[in-house]
PDB file of all heavy atoms in Angstrom:
ATOM      1  N   PRO A 153     -13.915  -8.981 -11.263  1.00 87.00           N
ATOM      2  CA  PRO A 153     -13.363  -7.729 -11.810  1.00 87.00           C
ATOM      3  C   PRO A 153     -11.838  -7.765 -11.986  1.00 87.00           C
ATOM      4  O   PRO A 153     -11.299  -7.130 -12.897  1.00 87.00           O
ATOM      5  CB  PRO A 153     -13.759  -6.667 -10.773  1.00 87.00           C
ATOM      6  CG  PRO A 153     -14.516  -7.336  -9.698  1.00 87.00           C
ATOM      7  CD  PRO A 153     -14.724  -8.770 -10.058  1.00 87.00           C
ATOM      8  N   ARG A 158      -7.780  -7.373 -17.764  1.00 88.00           N
ATOM      9  CA  ARG A 158      -7.889  -6.036 -17.177  1.00 88.00           C
ATOM     10  C   ARG A 158      -7.016  -5.002 -17.885  1.00 88.00           C
ATOM     11  O   ARG A 158      -7.383  -3.853 -18.023  1.00 88.00           O
ATOM     12  CB  ARG A 158      -7.526  -6.092 -15.691  1.00 88.00           C
ATOM     13  CG  ARG A 158      -8.338  -5.126 -14.874  1.00 88.00           C
ATOM     14  CD  ARG A 158      -7.922  -5.172 -13.420  1.00 88.00           C
ATOM     15  NE  ARG A 158      -7.490  -3.846 -13.032  1.00 88.00           N
ATOM     16  CZ  ARG A 158      -6.535  -3.585 -12.180  1.00 88.00           C
ATOM     17  NH1 ARG A 158      -5.875  -4.566 -11.612  1.00 88.00           N
ATOM     18  NH2 ARG A 158      -6.226  -2.356 -11.888  1.00 88.00           N
ATOM     19  N   GLN A 165      -3.911   0.384 -26.428  1.00 86.00           N
ATOM     20  CA  GLN A 165      -3.840   1.842 -26.508  1.00 86.00           C
ATOM     21  C   GLN A 165      -2.393   2.324 -26.467  1.00 86.00           C
ATOM     22  O   GLN A 165      -1.944   3.080 -27.312  1.00 86.00           O
ATOM     23  CB  GLN A 165      -4.615   2.426 -25.312  1.00 86.00           C
ATOM     24  CG  GLN A 165      -4.637   3.928 -25.281  1.00 86.00           C
ATOM     25  CD  GLN A 165      -5.966   4.455 -25.801  1.00 86.00           C
ATOM     26  OE1 GLN A 165      -6.726   3.722 -26.417  1.00 86.00           O
ATOM     27  NE2 GLN A 165      -6.236   5.723 -25.585  1.00 86.00           N
ATOM     28  N   ILE A 227      16.362   6.627 -15.008  1.00 98.00           N
ATOM     29  CA  ILE A 227      15.088   7.301 -15.289  1.00 98.00           C
ATOM     30  C   ILE A 227      14.855   8.390 -14.242  1.00 98.00           C
ATOM     31  O   ILE A 227      15.427   8.333 -13.152  1.00 98.00           O
ATOM     32  CB  ILE A 227      13.892   6.303 -15.257  1.00 98.00           C
ATOM     33  CG1 ILE A 227      13.876   5.497 -13.936  1.00 98.00           C
ATOM     34  CG2 ILE A 227      13.961   5.339 -16.429  1.00 98.00           C
ATOM     35  CD1 ILE A 227      12.651   4.625 -13.749  1.00 98.00           C
ATOM     36  N   ARG A 235      -0.280  -5.935 -12.462  1.00 93.00           N
ATOM     37  CA  ARG A 235      -1.297  -6.584 -11.649  1.00 93.00           C
ATOM     38  C   ARG A 235      -0.752  -7.947 -11.253  1.00 93.00           C
ATOM     39  O   ARG A 235       0.145  -8.442 -11.911  1.00 93.00           O
ATOM     40  CB  ARG A 235      -2.653  -6.658 -12.362  1.00 93.00           C
ATOM     41  CG  ARG A 235      -2.634  -7.393 -13.706  1.00 93.00           C
ATOM     42  CD  ARG A 235      -3.985  -7.379 -14.363  1.00 93.00           C
ATOM     43  NE  ARG A 235      -4.918  -8.272 -13.681  1.00 93.00           N
ATOM     44  CZ  ARG A 235      -5.068  -9.574 -13.964  1.00 93.00           C
ATOM     45  NH1 ARG A 235      -4.323 -10.147 -14.883  1.00 93.00           N
ATOM     46  NH2 ARG A 235      -5.931 -10.301 -13.309  1.00 93.00           N
ATOM     47  N   VAL A 245      -0.318 -11.729   6.614  1.00 98.00           N
ATOM     48  CA  VAL A 245      -1.076 -12.163   5.431  1.00 98.00           C
ATOM     49  C   VAL A 245      -1.482 -13.632   5.566  1.00 98.00           C
ATOM     50  O   VAL A 245      -0.631 -14.512   5.604  1.00 98.00           O
ATOM     51  CB  VAL A 245      -0.210 -12.005   4.156  1.00 98.00           C
ATOM     52  CG1 VAL A 245      -0.945 -12.529   2.924  1.00 98.00           C
ATOM     53  CG2 VAL A 245       0.188 -10.546   3.942  1.00 98.00           C
ATOM     54  N   LEU A 264      14.089  -0.139  -1.105  1.00 98.00           N
ATOM     55  CA  LEU A 264      14.807   1.118  -1.374  1.00 98.00           C
ATOM     56  C   LEU A 264      15.503   1.641  -0.118  1.00 98.00           C
ATOM     57  O   LEU A 264      16.601   2.189  -0.187  1.00 98.00           O
ATOM     58  CB  LEU A 264      13.851   2.182  -1.924  1.00 98.00           C
ATOM     59  CG  LEU A 264      13.201   1.856  -3.273  1.00 98.00           C
ATOM     60  CD1 LEU A 264      12.251   2.968  -3.704  1.00 98.00           C
ATOM     61  CD2 LEU A 264      14.257   1.615  -4.353  1.00 98.00           C
ATOM     62  N   ALA A 274       7.104   9.273   1.062  1.00 98.00           N
ATOM     63  CA  ALA A 274       5.676   9.574   1.139  1.00 98.00           C
ATOM     64  C   ALA A 274       4.933   8.719   0.120  1.00 98.00           C
ATOM     65  O   ALA A 274       5.378   8.574  -1.017  1.00 98.00           O
ATOM     66  CB  ALA A 274       5.430  11.051   0.869  1.00 98.00           C
ATOM     67  N   ASP A 288      -1.472  -0.312   7.323  1.00 98.00           N
ATOM     68  CA  ASP A 288      -1.161  -1.282   8.378  1.00 98.00           C
ATOM     69  C   ASP A 288       0.348  -1.514   8.494  1.00 98.00           C
ATOM     70  O   ASP A 288       0.908  -1.518   9.586  1.00 98.00           O
ATOM     71  CB  ASP A 288      -1.887  -2.594   8.037  1.00 98.00           C
ATOM     72  CG  ASP A 288      -1.705  -3.665   9.102  1.00 98.00           C
ATOM     73  OD1 ASP A 288      -1.895  -3.338  10.286  1.00 98.00           O
ATOM     74  OD2 ASP A 288      -1.363  -4.807   8.746  1.00 98.00           O
ATOM     75  N   ASN A 295       8.938   7.306   9.452  1.00 98.00           N
ATOM     76  CA  ASN A 295       9.631   7.734   8.239  1.00 98.00           C
ATOM     77  C   ASN A 295       8.880   7.456   6.939  1.00 98.00           C
ATOM     78  O   ASN A 295       9.391   7.693   5.855  1.00 98.00           O
ATOM     79  CB  ASN A 295      11.024   7.101   8.179  1.00 98.00           C
ATOM     80  CG  ASN A 295      11.920   7.703   9.249  1.00 98.00           C
ATOM     81  OD1 ASN A 295      11.926   8.915   9.442  1.00 98.00           O
ATOM     82  ND2 ASN A 295      12.633   6.863   9.976  1.00 98.00           N
ATOM     83  N   PHE A 341     -10.904  16.402  -5.892  1.00 98.00           N
ATOM     84  CA  PHE A 341      -9.574  15.788  -5.755  1.00 98.00           C
ATOM     85  C   PHE A 341      -8.473  16.841  -5.876  1.00 98.00           C
ATOM     86  O   PHE A 341      -7.531  16.863  -5.096  1.00 98.00           O
ATOM     87  CB  PHE A 341      -9.376  14.686  -6.804  1.00 98.00           C
ATOM     88  CG  PHE A 341      -9.923  13.363  -6.359  1.00 98.00           C
ATOM     89  CD1 PHE A 341     -11.287  13.110  -6.407  1.00 98.00           C
ATOM     90  CD2 PHE A 341      -9.091  12.372  -5.856  1.00 98.00           C
ATOM     91  CE1 PHE A 341     -11.815  11.906  -5.971  1.00 98.00           C
ATOM     92  CE2 PHE A 341      -9.609  11.155  -5.413  1.00 98.00           C
ATOM     93  CZ  PHE A 341     -10.972  10.914  -5.475  1.00 98.00           C
ATOM     94  N   TYR A 343      -8.720  20.046  -5.415  1.00 98.00           N
ATOM     95  CA  TYR A 343      -8.785  20.970  -4.280  1.00 98.00           C
ATOM     96  C   TYR A 343      -8.091  20.356  -3.056  1.00 98.00           C
ATOM     97  O   TYR A 343      -7.295  21.009  -2.375  1.00 98.00           O
ATOM     98  CB  TYR A 343     -10.248  21.307  -3.953  1.00 98.00           C
ATOM     99  CG  TYR A 343     -10.382  22.363  -2.882  1.00 98.00           C
ATOM    100  CD1 TYR A 343     -10.280  23.714  -3.190  1.00 98.00           C
ATOM    101  CD2 TYR A 343     -10.602  21.998  -1.553  1.00 98.00           C
ATOM    102  CE1 TYR A 343     -10.382  24.683  -2.199  1.00 98.00           C
ATOM    103  CE2 TYR A 343     -10.705  22.960  -0.556  1.00 98.00           C
ATOM    104  CZ  TYR A 343     -10.595  24.301  -0.882  1.00 98.00           C
ATOM    105  OH  TYR A 343     -10.691  25.248   0.102  1.00 98.00           O
ATOM    106  N   GLU A 346      -4.275  20.308  -3.596  1.00 98.00           N
ATOM    107  CA  GLU A 346      -3.643  21.617  -3.520  1.00 98.00           C
ATOM    108  C   GLU A 346      -3.633  22.172  -2.096  1.00 98.00           C
ATOM    109  O   GLU A 346      -2.637  22.733  -1.643  1.00 98.00           O
ATOM    110  CB  GLU A 346      -4.393  22.570  -4.452  1.00 98.00           C
ATOM    111  CG  GLU A 346      -3.633  23.848  -4.709  1.00 98.00           C
ATOM    112  CD  GLU A 346      -4.358  24.715  -5.736  1.00 98.00           C
ATOM    113  OE1 GLU A 346      -5.122  24.162  -6.566  1.00 98.00           O
ATOM    114  OE2 GLU A 346      -4.180  25.938  -5.686  1.00 98.00           O
ATOM    115  N   PHE A 356       6.561  17.237   5.289  1.00 98.00           N
ATOM    116  CA  PHE A 356       7.241  15.986   5.666  1.00 98.00           C
ATOM    117  C   PHE A 356       8.638  15.888   5.043  1.00 98.00           C
ATOM    118  O   PHE A 356       9.522  15.219   5.570  1.00 98.00           O
ATOM    119  CB  PHE A 356       6.358  14.807   5.216  1.00 98.00           C
ATOM    120  CG  PHE A 356       6.904  13.442   5.523  1.00 98.00           C
ATOM    121  CD1 PHE A 356       6.953  12.970   6.827  1.00 98.00           C
ATOM    122  CD2 PHE A 356       7.364  12.611   4.492  1.00 98.00           C
ATOM    123  CE1 PHE A 356       7.455  11.701   7.105  1.00 98.00           C
ATOM    124  CE2 PHE A 356       7.868  11.349   4.765  1.00 98.00           C
ATOM    125  CZ  PHE A 356       7.911  10.891   6.082  1.00 98.00           C
ATOM    126  N   LEU A 375     -17.166  -0.708  -9.563  1.00 94.00           N
ATOM    127  CA  LEU A 375     -17.141  -1.037  -8.145  1.00 94.00           C
ATOM    128  C   LEU A 375     -17.306   0.181  -7.237  1.00 94.00           C
ATOM    129  O   LEU A 375     -17.414   0.037  -6.027  1.00 94.00           O
ATOM    130  CB  LEU A 375     -15.822  -1.740  -7.769  1.00 94.00           C
ATOM    131  CG  LEU A 375     -15.453  -3.023  -8.510  1.00 94.00           C
ATOM    132  CD1 LEU A 375     -14.232  -3.662  -7.871  1.00 94.00           C
ATOM    133  CD2 LEU A 375     -16.609  -4.012  -8.522  1.00 94.00           C
ATOM    134  N   PHE A 417       0.565   8.369 -17.822  1.00 94.00           N
ATOM    135  CA  PHE A 417       1.834   8.161 -18.489  1.00 94.00           C
ATOM    136  C   PHE A 417       2.347   9.431 -19.175  1.00 94.00           C
ATOM    137  O   PHE A 417       3.508   9.806 -19.037  1.00 94.00           O
ATOM    138  CB  PHE A 417       1.666   7.018 -19.494  1.00 94.00           C
ATOM    139  CG  PHE A 417       2.954   6.543 -19.991  1.00 94.00           C
ATOM    140  CD1 PHE A 417       3.862   5.959 -19.131  1.00 94.00           C
ATOM    141  CD2 PHE A 417       3.299   6.720 -21.318  1.00 94.00           C
ATOM    142  CE1 PHE A 417       5.094   5.554 -19.589  1.00 94.00           C
ATOM    143  CE2 PHE A 417       4.519   6.313 -21.775  1.00 94.00           C
ATOM    144  CZ  PHE A 417       5.416   5.724 -20.913  1.00 94.00           C
ATOM    145  N   LYS A 452     -10.915  18.703   7.246  1.00 97.00           N
ATOM    146  CA  LYS A 452      -9.559  19.055   7.659  1.00 97.00           C
ATOM    147  C   LYS A 452      -9.565  19.519   9.115  1.00 97.00           C
ATOM    148  O   LYS A 452      -8.699  19.145   9.909  1.00 97.00           O
ATOM    149  CB  LYS A 452      -9.021  20.160   6.741  1.00 97.00           C
ATOM    150  CG  LYS A 452      -7.542  20.431   6.889  1.00 97.00           C
ATOM    151  CD  LYS A 452      -6.997  21.172   5.670  1.00 97.00           C
ATOM    152  CE  LYS A 452      -5.504  21.360   5.758  1.00 97.00           C
ATOM    153  NZ  LYS A 452      -5.103  22.684   6.210  1.00 97.00           N
ATOM    154  N   GLU A 456      -7.656  17.719  12.253  1.00 96.00           N
ATOM    155  CA  GLU A 456      -6.703  18.415  13.131  1.00 96.00           C
ATOM    156  C   GLU A 456      -7.089  18.293  14.597  1.00 96.00           C
ATOM    157  O   GLU A 456      -6.240  18.348  15.487  1.00 96.00           O
ATOM    158  CB  GLU A 456      -6.591  19.893  12.728  1.00 96.00           C
ATOM    159  CG  GLU A 456      -5.671  20.080  11.524  1.00 96.00           C
ATOM    160  CD  GLU A 456      -5.934  21.371  10.746  1.00 96.00           C
ATOM    161  OE1 GLU A 456      -6.724  22.210  11.221  1.00 96.00           O
ATOM    162  OE2 GLU A 456      -5.359  21.499   9.645  1.00 96.00           O
ATOM    163  N   LEU A 470       5.908  -9.234  28.045  1.00 98.00           N
ATOM    164  CA  LEU A 470       6.463  -8.010  27.459  1.00 98.00           C
ATOM    165  C   LEU A 470       7.746  -7.583  28.163  1.00 98.00           C
ATOM    166  O   LEU A 470       7.792  -7.517  29.389  1.00 98.00           O
ATOM    167  CB  LEU A 470       5.447  -6.876  27.535  1.00 98.00           C
ATOM    168  CG  LEU A 470       4.217  -7.002  26.633  1.00 98.00           C
ATOM    169  CD1 LEU A 470       3.215  -5.898  26.953  1.00 98.00           C
ATOM    170  CD2 LEU A 470       4.587  -6.955  25.154  1.00 98.00           C
ATOM    171  N   GLU A 479      -6.296  -3.945  19.084  1.00 96.00           N
ATOM    172  CA  GLU A 479      -6.678  -5.184  18.419  1.00 96.00           C
ATOM    173  C   GLU A 479      -7.509  -4.870  17.200  1.00 96.00           C
ATOM    174  O   GLU A 479      -8.142  -3.826  17.117  1.00 96.00           O
ATOM    175  CB  GLU A 479      -7.423  -6.113  19.369  1.00 96.00           C
ATOM    176  CG  GLU A 479      -8.474  -5.478  20.223  1.00 96.00           C
ATOM    177  CD  GLU A 479      -8.997  -6.450  21.283  1.00 96.00           C
ATOM    178  OE1 GLU A 479      -8.203  -6.846  22.183  1.00 96.00           O
ATOM    179  OE2 GLU A 479     -10.168  -6.811  21.195  1.00 96.00           O
ATOM    180  N   PHE A 489     -12.879 -15.282   5.204  1.00 97.00           N
ATOM    181  CA  PHE A 489     -12.567 -15.613   6.600  1.00 97.00           C
ATOM    182  C   PHE A 489     -12.001 -14.383   7.294  1.00 97.00           C
ATOM    183  O   PHE A 489     -11.748 -13.360   6.649  1.00 97.00           O
ATOM    184  CB  PHE A 489     -11.579 -16.792   6.677  1.00 97.00           C
ATOM    185  CG  PHE A 489     -10.210 -16.491   6.127  1.00 97.00           C
ATOM    186  CD1 PHE A 489      -9.227 -15.915   6.929  1.00 97.00           C
ATOM    187  CD2 PHE A 489      -9.890 -16.783   4.797  1.00 97.00           C
ATOM    188  CE1 PHE A 489      -7.959 -15.639   6.423  1.00 97.00           C
ATOM    189  CE2 PHE A 489      -8.636 -16.508   4.285  1.00 97.00           C
ATOM    190  CZ  PHE A 489      -7.666 -15.932   5.095  1.00 97.00           C
ATOM    191  N   LYS A 519      -2.554 -19.935  14.615  1.00 97.00           N
ATOM    192  CA  LYS A 519      -2.094 -18.750  15.321  1.00 97.00           C
ATOM    193  C   LYS A 519      -0.627 -18.547  14.958  1.00 97.00           C
ATOM    194  O   LYS A 519       0.108 -19.519  14.793  1.00 97.00           O
ATOM    195  CB  LYS A 519      -2.240 -19.003  16.820  1.00 97.00           C
ATOM    196  CG  LYS A 519      -2.073 -17.792  17.687  1.00 97.00           C
ATOM    197  CD  LYS A 519      -2.402 -18.198  19.126  1.00 97.00           C
ATOM    198  CE  LYS A 519      -2.044 -17.127  20.116  1.00 97.00           C
ATOM    199  NZ  LYS A 519      -2.110 -17.619  21.496  1.00 97.00           N
TER     200      LYS A 519
END
Side-chain angles (χ1 to χ4, degrees):
R158 215 182 121 214
Q165 181 101 345
I227 53 173
R235 58 182 287 272
V245 177
L264 297 179
D288 183 48
N295 290 316
F341 275 78
Y343 186 82
E346 194 175 335
F356 180 71
L375 303 188
F417 193 64
K452 191 161 184 260
E456 280 157 8
L470 290 173
E479 44 189 65
F489 66 87
K519 192 174 170 191

